[in-house]
């Protein structure tokens, strides 16, 4: 335990590590959360003199929109859709331009284009979104129309992408668990649900890539096996040290972003179904469950990536190579995506911190030993398994080099 504490203090006191932590916190929490809520994303739209066209008043603006959209009721029904569209048509958008992005008009407009295409005006108004001129009395049968759309989408996916009939039925069964009518309140505040875990990879790589390779760089590696603790114990302590750092780093960033979200949004909207993000989604989750999945995706991805980085550090005696190898796993799939075979590109999405945490909005399925496995479950298990495999390999590889 004493050796672990010493190694952990040594890691945290490294200027490189401290700089990474501070920069990532400023980028992800201060800029990516505080400024997004208070200014860039949710500030009141001004006359355009500001670089982002918004004032620095997001907190009060969010409260105003939460109150404004509470007038449409607490359930999503045909009447709710009709009221929102009618309210939009009554506004002068030139006087209140912020309504275009901040209100749930985009939500309603997207629903109209997907569920009521026959209401588009053939006389020329089709060049404007349907929400500008539609007869609201014709906006009926919302849930039946969504069911028809879902059936059509799944059947198209089955025919074009090889989805089996059993997989299609699995998704329909998932959809049947969604309770109707959906609860409703202002939804646009959930636009910041994504945590952007892949953007944390460079900071974690810079912090951990030198754990083993750094000993060779400082010419201390050949001496470590002569200490009373032995090379194998030191290797295990270094790995535990790296995993502990990854957990602390995760808690700092994730905790900061969740805290900012609670300050600006409160618990409002936790019970909203994820179908507000994608009308064709079938998972019977609400926004809170989706966020818990996002947090699990980040935690497991961070652990998996930490194991991968430490393996690269053990394989390379050069700090630069260890860092380049670690970053390659995150950025090469994106850079070479269009040139890779489709199957290889699909597999690369299961590398730690690489995949799309919003895959629960899609219809991706894997068939393993005759069982259909929904892709989101793979996305939070495979990266962890990669980390579990990498850790003993890192210990073994570095230990062998110590004896050479």
């Amino acid at each position: 335990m004493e050796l672990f504490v010493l190694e952990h203090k040594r890691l945290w006191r490294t200027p490189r590590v401290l700089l990474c932590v501070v920069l990532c916190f400023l980028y992800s929490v201060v800029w990516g959360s505080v400024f997004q809520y208070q200014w860039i994303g949710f500030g009141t739209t001004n006359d355009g003199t500001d670089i982002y066209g918004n004032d620095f008043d997001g907190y009060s603006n969010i409260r105003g929109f939460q109150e404004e959209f509470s007038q449409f009721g607490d359930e999503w029904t045909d009447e709710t859709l009709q009221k929102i569209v009618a309210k939009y048509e009554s506004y002068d958008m030139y006087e209140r331009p912020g309504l275009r992005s901040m209100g749930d008009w985009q939500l309603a407009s997207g629903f109209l284009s997907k569920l009521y295409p026959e209401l588009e005006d053939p006389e020329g108004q089709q060049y404007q979104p349907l929400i500008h001129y539609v007869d609201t009395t014709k906006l009926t049968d919302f849930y039946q129309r969504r069911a028809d759309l879902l059936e059509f989408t799944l059947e198209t996916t089955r025919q074009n992408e090889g989805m089996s009939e059993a997989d299609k039925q699995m998704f329909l069964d998932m959809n049947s668990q969604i309770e109707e009518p959906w609860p409703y309140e202002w939804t646009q505040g959930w636009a910041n649900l994504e945590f952007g875990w892949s953007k944390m990879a460079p900071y974690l790589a810079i912090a951990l890539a030198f754990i083993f390779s750094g000993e060779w760089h400082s010419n201390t590696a050949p001496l470590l096996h002569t200490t009373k603790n032995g090379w194998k114990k030191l290797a295990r302590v270094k790995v535990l040290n790296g995993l502990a750092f990854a957990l602390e780093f995760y808690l700092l960033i994730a905790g900061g972003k969740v805290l900012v979200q609670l300050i600006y949004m409160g618990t409002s909207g936790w019970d909203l179904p994820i179908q507000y993000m994608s009308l064709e989604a079938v998972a019977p989750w609400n926004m809170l469950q989706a966020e818990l999945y996002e947090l699990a995706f980040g935690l497991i991805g961070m652990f998996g990536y930490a194991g991968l980085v430490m393996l690269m550090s053990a394989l390379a005696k050069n700090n630069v190579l260890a860092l380049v190898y670690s970053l390659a796993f995150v950025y090469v799939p994106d850079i070479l995506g269009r040139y890779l075979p489709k199957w290889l590109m699909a597999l690369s999405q299961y590398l730690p911190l690489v995949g799309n945490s919003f895959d629960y909005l899609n219809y991706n399925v894997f068939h393993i030993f005759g069982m259909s496995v929904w892709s989101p479950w793979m996305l939070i298990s495979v990266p962890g398994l990669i980390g579990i495999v990498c850790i003993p390999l890192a210990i073994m590889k570095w230990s062998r080099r110590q004896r050479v």
Side-chain angles (χ1 to χ4, degrees):
M1 187 63 183
E2 181 181 357
L3 183 60
F4 170 80
V5 172
L6 291 173
E7 281 287 327
H8 203 54
K9 287 182 178 179
R10 177 190 174 193
L11 179 62
W12 270 102
R13 289 173 180 173
T14 304
R16 178 192 70 253
V17 174
L18 287 174
L19 181 61
C20 284
V21 172
V22 171
L23 288 177
C24 188
F25 185 84
L26 291 175
Y27 176 74
S28 298
V29 179
V30 178
W31 177 260
S33 289
V34 176
F35 277 34
Q36 285 292 329
Y37 280 115
Q38 184 66 21
W39 178 30
I40 302 171
F42 298 99
T44 302
T45 302
N46 57 33
D47 57 5
T49 55
D50 182 87
I51 186 174
Y52 290 105
N54 294 335
D55 294 327
F56 201 76
D57 62 350
Y59 184 85
S60 59
N61 207 25
I62 287 172
R63 293 295 178 273
F65 275 98
Q66 287 176 333
E67 182 178 353
E68 180 168 359
F69 280 85
S70 65
Q71 66 180 291
F72 300 114
D74 55 5
E75 290 183 342
W76 186 269
T77 62
D78 292 345
E79 186 179 1
T80 307
L81 178 60
Q82 293 168 6
K83 287 180 178 179
I84 290 178
V85 174
K87 192 71 172 180
Y88 181 88
E89 293 176 348
S90 70
Y91 277 136
D92 183 346
M93 290 299 153
Y94 293 100
E95 292 183 2
R96 300 186 65 186
L99 288 172
R100 292 185 184 274
S101 58
M102 287 285 289
D104 276 346
W105 322 117
Q106 290 182 339
L107 174 76
S109 183
F111 285 175
L112 294 182
S113 64
K114 289 184 177 182
L115 301 182
Y116 303 90
E118 77 281 1
L119 299 181
E120 290 186 354
D121 188 347
E123 299 301 323
Q125 292 193 74
Q126 67 268 27
Y127 296 107
Q128 285 186 319
L130 190 56
I131 193 173
H132 285 267
Y133 59 85
V134 68
D135 181 357
T136 57
T137 61
K138 297 181 179 179
L139 302 179
T140 58
D141 300 323
F142 175 86
Y143 290 106
Q144 183 57 52
R145 285 173 176 264
R146 179 187 172 269
D148 294 340
L149 173 66
L150 181 61
E151 176 69 31
F152 174 79
T153 303
L154 286 172
E155 182 60 25
T156 302
T157 304
R158 188 186 70 80
Q159 294 179 5
N160 297 340
E161 300 182 18
M163 177 191 293
S164 69
E165 189 65 38
D167 292 339
K168 175 185 173 182
Q169 188 58 48
M170 178 186 73
F171 287 124
L172 289 174
D173 291 342
M174 291 172 62
N175 182 71
S176 66
Q177 300 175 43
I178 302 173
E179 295 184 2
E180 298 175 359
W182 304 339
Y184 173 71
E185 53 191 284
W186 181 60
T187 68
Q188 289 302 303
W190 289 94
N192 266 18
L193 182 61
E194 185 177 13
F195 280 68
W197 299 113
S198 62
K199 297 175 183 177
M200 295 177 62
Y203 303 100
L204 188 61
I206 293 172
L208 299 183
F210 306 155
I211 277 189
F212 292 115
S213 64
E215 302 294 354
W216 293 99
H217 182 77
S218 59
N219 294 320
T220 59
L223 302 176
L224 289 178
H225 74 287
T226 65
T227 63
K228 65 177 182 178
N229 294 299
W231 48 264
K232 204 162 189 178
K233 183 176 181 180
L234 284 171
R236 290 171 179 166
V237 167
K238 284 180 175 293
V239 165
L240 290 175
N241 179 37
L243 294 177
F245 174 83
L247 176 60
E248 292 160 354
F249 191 33
Y250 166 84
L251 291 175
L252 178 66
I253 303 302
K257 292 180 79 71
V258 170
L259 178 61
V260 172
Q261 183 190 71
L262 287 172
I263 291 174
Y264 279 89
M265 294 290 300
T267 59
S268 176
W270 276 3
D271 61 337
L272 296 177
I274 61 171
Q275 283 65 35
Y276 287 119
M277 292 193 287
S278 175
L279 192 59
E280 295 96 327
V282 296
W285 293 359
N286 58 34
M287 296 295 184
L288 176 59
Q289 291 170 315
E291 181 153 318
L292 291 175
Y293 175 87
E294 180 87 16
L295 292 170
F297 176 90
L299 177 60
I300 296 171
M302 292 280 280
F303 273 115
Y305 190 63
L308 192 60
V309 170
M310 287 187 285
L311 176 59
M312 296 302 103
S313 182
L315 290 173
K317 291 185 178 181
N318 183 287
N319 285 342
V320 175
L321 285 179
L323 181 59
V324 170
Y325 293 158
S326 300
L327 293 177
F329 284 97
V330 176
Y331 293 108
V332 169
D334 185 49
I335 295 172
L336 300 180
R338 68 179 67 182
Y339 307 108
L340 295 175
K342 187 175 181 180
W343 65 269
L344 185 58
M345 186 59 191
L347 288 179
S348 71
Q349 299 303 300
Y350 296 89
L351 291 170
L353 300 181
V354 173
N356 178 14
S357 59
F358 281 93
D359 202 45
Y360 53 78
L361 301 177
N362 301 321
Y363 306 131
N364 297 320
V365 178
F366 281 85
H367 298 97
I368 302 175
F369 303 117
M371 297 185 298
S372 296
V373 181
W374 190 33
S375 177
W377 302 133
M378 299 283 288
L379 283 170
I380 62 170
S381 56
V382 173
L385 293 175
I386 290 175
I388 291 173
V389 171
C390 288
I391 287 171
L393 290 177
I395 295 173
M396 181 177 63
K397 187 63 179 178
W398 192 68
S399 300
R400 284 180 177 177
R401 281 192 168 179
Q402 290 290 80
R403 289 180 288 175
V404 175

